[in-house]
């Protein structure tokens, strides 16, 4: 029984919204009662990784049951009848923000396919850099696609494999895909988790009363009361069934290069990613930022919420008071595109409000986690000045973002990235701040306690700062050779 619900129509993203978006979060649990309810809880904890759509697939011993919804987890799976709607002792779930494919219900995961060996549901975090190439090959061979999501390519590759066992067919498919990904899959007997050969996207293993749990972040384990066991290692596949947990290594050995932007922005501060507390890393970023870019100020103010840990570290290192000079309203929904500049400004003020008692007459140091295009920063700086700040200084707790991402982060093309096209002095004038500063790449590695960056084999995926991409970008290479847009239209079908 497969149901797809489209009760909610997603707003078009405000083109001036400067917030980076990650594609999604995944969760899976095996052999527990009320698996779907626990999966919904796990997805609640991963809501920050994707707020556009969500879905759950469960297996009850005989049938698969799936629901996919546009909108938030609480709206989709908050009812008390979830165990009746999605019965079963094993389930996987997904929260989504689209980077590959559009905002349509047919692109929402988990995706499901009926194969000769039985059904399989798949949820995917990340982006395949050879997705279009594989899709074109499959379509030329007669494959019929129901979505424009790169995740469906993986199901087609599994279905076309001639291997006898499902795990071998899965491995056969994995050897053909490139990019950054964390996958969870559910069959009638197994829960499977896979992390890409470089470990770009995160995946962790937990234990709930002896039963295995997979999740994008440890905060989801905490939500369901599971104990963190370990990170799934780069290039590792874990196969979970009634016989326990089997670890496989289907890829040639390579050095791990996890995404460093998980620590800068995406992961929840209470998560532990690759053995490091995200909160502590962000505080060290702030400390190093204060060492590298000092200024005479009266107060340190975070741009909420993601700038808070770095601002704490900056204030402690600089010996300057930390204050909540900007208050965020957590009860405002998504901001729709507004037709006029004045209405757009009103939308910002609904989300962020100046605390005049903190800002008036003060030399203010604003700390943000990162700056992409600068549109949000312009609005925030204007708000702080209108609240009476004597001076406004701005610091980014990450290095300048100068290159787009192709592994699951929705970052604009290079010509739209502020730091790729302007000097620090020019950026200060554009943003109307008294001084501007960024954390250095070396400072970021210092905050990670990773030693100096190895330019030959960097310890992290950091191309958005350095231009050093960890894999080839096949789709882009082919598109550039054809003089085509990489994100060319895949389908003429538009969902109503």
């Amino acid at each position: 029984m497969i149901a797809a619900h489209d009760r909610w129509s997603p707003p078009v993203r405000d083109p001036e919204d400067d917030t980076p978006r990650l594609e999604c979060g995944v969760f899976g649990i095996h052999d527990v009662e009320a698996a779907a309810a626990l999966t919904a809880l796990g997805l609640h904890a991963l809501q920050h990784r994707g707020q556009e759509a969500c879905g759950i697939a469960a297996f009850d011993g005989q049938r698969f049951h799936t629901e996919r919804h546009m909108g938030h987890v609480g709206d989709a799976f908050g009812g008390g009848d979830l165990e009746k709607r999605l019965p079963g002792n094993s389930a996987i779930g997904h929260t989504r923000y689209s980077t590959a494919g559009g905002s349509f219900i047919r692109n929402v995961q988990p995706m499901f396919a009926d194969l000769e060996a039985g059904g399989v549901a798949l949820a995917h975090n990340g982006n395949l850099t050879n997705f279009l190439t594989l899709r074109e090959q499959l379509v030329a061979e007669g494959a019929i696609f129901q979505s424009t999501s790169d995740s469906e390519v993986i199901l087609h590759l599994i279905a076309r494999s001639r291997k006898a066992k499902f795990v071998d067919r899965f491995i056969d498919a994995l050897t053909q895909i490139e990019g950054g990904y964390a996958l969870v899959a559910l069959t009638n007997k197994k829960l499977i988790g896979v992390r890409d050969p470089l470990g770009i996207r995160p995946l962790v293993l937990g234990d709930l009363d002896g039963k295995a749990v997979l999740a994008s972040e440890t905060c989801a384990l905490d939500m369901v009361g599971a104990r963190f066991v370990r990170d799934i290692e780069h290039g590792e596949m874990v196969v979970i069934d009634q016989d326990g947990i089997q670890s496989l290594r289907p890829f040639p050995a390579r050095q791990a290069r996890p995404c460093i932007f998980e620590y800068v922005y995406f992961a929840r501060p209470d998560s532990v990613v690759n053995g490091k507390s995200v909160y502590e890393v962000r505080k060290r970023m702030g400390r190093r930022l204060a060492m590298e870019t000092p200024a005479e100020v009266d107060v340190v103010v975070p741009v909420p919420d993601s700038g808070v840990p770095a601002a704490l570290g900056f204030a402690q290192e600089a010996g300057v008071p930390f204050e909540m000079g900007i208050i965020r309203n957590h009860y405002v929904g998504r901001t729709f595109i507004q037709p006029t500049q004045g209405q757009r400004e009103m939308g910002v003020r609904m989300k962020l409000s100046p605390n005049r008692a903190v800002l008036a007459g003060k030399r203010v140091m604003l700390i943000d986690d990162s700056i992409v295009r600068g549109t949000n920063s312009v609005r925030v700086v204007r708000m702080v000045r209108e609240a009476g700040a004597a001076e406004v200084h701005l610091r980014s707790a990450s290095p300048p973002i100068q290159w787009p991402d192709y592994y699951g982060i929705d970052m604009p093309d290079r010509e739209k990235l502020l730091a790729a096209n302007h000097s620090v002095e020019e950026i200060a004038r554009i943003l109307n701040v008294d001084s501007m500063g960024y954390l250095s790449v070396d400072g970021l590695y210092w905050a990670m306690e990773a030693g100096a960056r190895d330019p030959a084999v960097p310890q992290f995926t950091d191309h958005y700062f350095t231009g050093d991409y960890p894999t080839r970008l096949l789709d882009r290479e082919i598109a550039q050779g054809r003089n085509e847009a990489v994100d060319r239209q895949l389908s003429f079908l538009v969902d109503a």
Side-chain angles (χ1 to χ4, degrees):
M1 180 177 72
I2 303 175
H5 299 265
D6 197 2
R7 303 169 186 162
W8 180 86
S9 180
V12 182
R13 182 177 172 181
D14 182 343
E16 296 189 25
D17 185 353
D18 197 33
T19 309
R21 307 292 181 97
L22 191 65
E23 187 177 0
C24 46
V26 296
F27 186 91
I29 194 163
H30 185 261
D31 193 26
V32 298
E33 291 185 9
L38 289 168
T39 299
L41 279 175
L43 294 182
H44 269 291
L46 298 173
Q47 186 76 84
H48 62 288
R49 298 186 72 88
Q51 300 176 32
E52 185 178 86
C54 55
I56 294 175
F59 183 67
D60 67 2
Q62 293 184 319
R63 297 179 182 177
F64 284 87
H65 306 261
T66 81
E67 282 190 19
R68 298 177 296 149
H69 299 262
M70 304 305 295
H72 285 179
V73 176
D75 297 329
F77 300 113
D81 62 343
L82 193 57
E83 291 181 45
K84 292 181 181 179
R85 287 156 46 195
L86 295 169
N89 287 357
S90 294
I92 63 172
H94 188 265
T95 62
R96 181 174 191 270
Y97 171 77
S98 65
T99 58
S103 305
F104 308 128
I105 193 67
R106 59 196 169 104
N107 286 335
V108 179
Q109 302 180 38
M111 291 194 168
F112 179 85
D114 231 335
L115 309 179
E116 57 184 326
V120 56
L122 179 74
H124 167 211
N125 169 26
N127 239 39
L128 306 185
T129 54
N130 64 338
F131 154 58
L132 294 175
T133 305
L134 288 171
R135 192 181 194 276
E136 288 175 355
Q137 293 171 358
L138 289 164
V139 169
E141 294 169 6
I144 298 173
F145 280 78
Q146 299 297 317
S147 77
T148 54
S149 168
D150 53 359
S151 309
E152 192 177 2
V153 164
I154 302 169
L155 289 176
H156 277 279
L157 294 174
I158 294 170
R160 286 175 174 246
S161 173
R162 301 274 61 90
K163 303 289 185 180
K165 295 181 179 179
F166 177 81
V167 170
D168 294 330
R169 296 174 75 160
F170 203 168
I171 292 172
D172 197 11
L174 293 174
T175 59
Q176 300 175 66
I177 65 176
E178 300 173 9
Y181 55 85
L183 303 170
V184 292
L186 184 65
T187 73
N188 54 7
K189 294 180 181 178
K190 305 177 189 298
L191 173 65
I192 299 172
V194 188
R195 198 171 175 193
D196 66 76
L198 295 176
I200 296 173
R201 299 267 70 88
L203 190 65
V204 297
L205 174 67
D207 180 282
L208 179 63
D209 300 325
K211 305 299 182 181
V213 184
L214 296 170
S216 291
E217 293 183 38
T218 58
C219 62
L221 303 180
D222 297 335
M223 179 68 80
V224 300
R227 175 180 60 87
F228 170 72
V229 176
R230 64 178 178 88
D231 289 281
I232 303 301
E233 296 185 20
H234 61 291
E236 181 184 14
M237 170 190 278
V238 291
V239 181
I240 301 158
D241 56 22
Q242 295 297 329
D243 297 325
I245 302 174
Q246 180 185 13
S247 174
L248 303 175
R249 294 285 187 169
F251 307 107
R254 300 178 67 179
Q255 178 180 309
R257 286 185 65 177
C259 172
I260 206 166
F261 218 81
E262 291 281 349
Y263 301 92
V264 171
Y265 179 80
F266 286 120
R268 253 179 45 170
D270 54 328
S271 284
V272 176
V273 177
N274 300 306
K276 295 186 181 295
S277 161
V278 174
Y279 180 80
E280 291 299 329
V281 169
R282 288 179 185 167
K283 280 189 68 177
R284 286 196 295 273
M285 290 176 187
R287 285 181 52 205
R288 181 61 180 247
L289 189 60
M291 298 176 198
E292 293 182 352
T293 62
E296 291 293 327
V297 294
D298 303 310
V299 63
V300 175
V301 172
V303 178
D305 286 324
S306 51
V308 170
L312 277 169
F314 190 106
Q316 290 171 1
E317 182 67 29
V320 176
F322 168 93
E323 297 286 355
M324 295 301 292
I326 302 171
I327 307 301
R328 181 181 174 191
N329 182 357
H330 291 267
Y331 303 99
V332 176
R334 291 176 179 78
T335 302
F336 290 76
I337 293 178
Q338 303 294 342
T340 69
Q341 177 66 23
Q343 288 172 314
R344 278 195 291 268
E345 292 295 334
M346 185 63 69
V348 174
R349 291 178 182 277
M350 288 174 65
K351 290 190 289 187
L352 298 176
S353 301
N355 186 353
R356 297 177 186 276
V358 167
L359 301 172
K362 302 290 180 58
R363 297 173 296 175
V364 177
M365 174 62 75
L366 286 175
I367 307 292
D368 209 346
D369 59 88
S370 58
I371 297 169
V372 183
R373 290 182 298 173
T375 50
N376 282 1
S377 300
V378 168
R379 297 170 178 177
V380 170
V381 170
R382 183 185 300 124
M383 178 193 306
V384 172
R385 287 199 182 279
E386 289 175 352
E391 296 177 10
V392 181
H393 303 261
L394 180 62
R395 300 291 183 267
S396 167
S398 74
I401 297 173
Q402 302 188 65
W403 302 86
D405 179 81
Y406 305 105
Y407 304 100
I409 303 173
D410 183 19
M411 280 185 183
D413 293 333
R414 195 157 193 244
E415 60 267 19
K416 297 179 182 177
L417 295 171
L418 188 66
N421 299 283
H422 299 281
S423 68
V424 175
E425 292 75 18
E426 289 171 337
I427 292 170
R429 289 195 295 271
I430 291 168
L431 302 183
N432 189 27
V433 292
D434 293 278
S435 73
M436 178 70 211
Y438 289 89
L439 183 65
S440 67
V441 172
D442 288 341
L444 181 56
Y445 272 68
W446 177 89
M448 293 295 302
E449 299 180 315
R453 183 181 188 272
D454 182 349
V457 187
Q459 300 92 309
F460 297 96
T461 288
D462 60 9
H463 52 274
Y464 12 77
F465 309 129
T466 64
D468 187 349
Y469 289 91
T471 73
R472 69 172 181 168
L473 304 173
L474 183 61
D475 286 343
R476 294 195 66 79
E477 293 169 9
I478 291 176
Q480 288 167 355
R482 297 174 179 172
N483 198 27
E484 294 176 341
V486 180
D487 57 349
R488 58 191 180 276
Q489 181 70 28
L490 291 175
S491 173
F492 292 109
L493 174 65
V494 178
D495 289 348

